[in-house]
Amino acid sequence: MPELTRRRALGAAAVLAAAAGAQAVAAPPASAAPDPHHGGPESFEEVYRGRRIAGRPTAGGHHHGGGYGVFIDGVELHVMQNADGSWISVISHYDPVPTPRAAARAAVVELQGAPLVPFHAN
């Protein structure tokens, strides 16, 4: 049996790392569209501090929210879901919250009665 050398050990480690990387690349991506039946955010609509807030799945995948739209008084609030599952908005970008509803509520608080101006990300 051949002697195990540092060169052979490093070569074997490189082969294993390459194989693991190939499997990760070949794995089918998880769907980015929220699905309330599979852990995605639920739709909501309510009046919060005098403002109508709503959230629902949207058609198209161009949103950072993965096909989920949040609206304040009918104007879309740009939201994004982080890798850890938390949500941020263009209004409260540095204060992640657990749900899109919480992002809408945080934005209403930050707006202090001011109207939400549409934000075009592209």
Side-chain angles (χ1 to χ4, degrees):
M1 182 165 174
E3 183 179 324
L4 183 62
T5 65
R6 182 166 39 173
R7 177 177 284 192
R8 286 186 188 200
L10 288 174
V15 168
L16 289 173
Q23 284 180 345
V25 170
S31 174
D35 182 359
H37 302 293
H38 294 98
E42 297 283 335
S43 295
F44 67 91
E45 187 167 344
E46 68 182 37
V47 175
Y48 180 75
R49 294 191 177 191
R51 310 290 290 270
R52 178 157 301 282
I53 62 173
R56 63 184 176 270
T58 58
H62 70 279
H63 298 288
H64 292 294
Y68 193 86
V70 174
F71 303 87
I72 298 176
D73 297 331
V75 178
E76 186 170 12
L77 172 68
H78 184 77
V79 295
M80 184 174 90
Q81 188 172 22
N82 294 320
D84 66 358
S86 64
W87 290 78
I88 56 174
S89 77
V90 70
I91 303 292
S92 58
H93 198 78
Y94 297 105
D95 189 18
V97 293
T99 65
R101 181 188 307 251
R105 289 176 173 174
V108 166
V109 170
E110 286 295 319
L111 285 168
Q112 299 179 14
L116 178 63
V117 177
F119 175 79
H120 302 287
N122 297 0

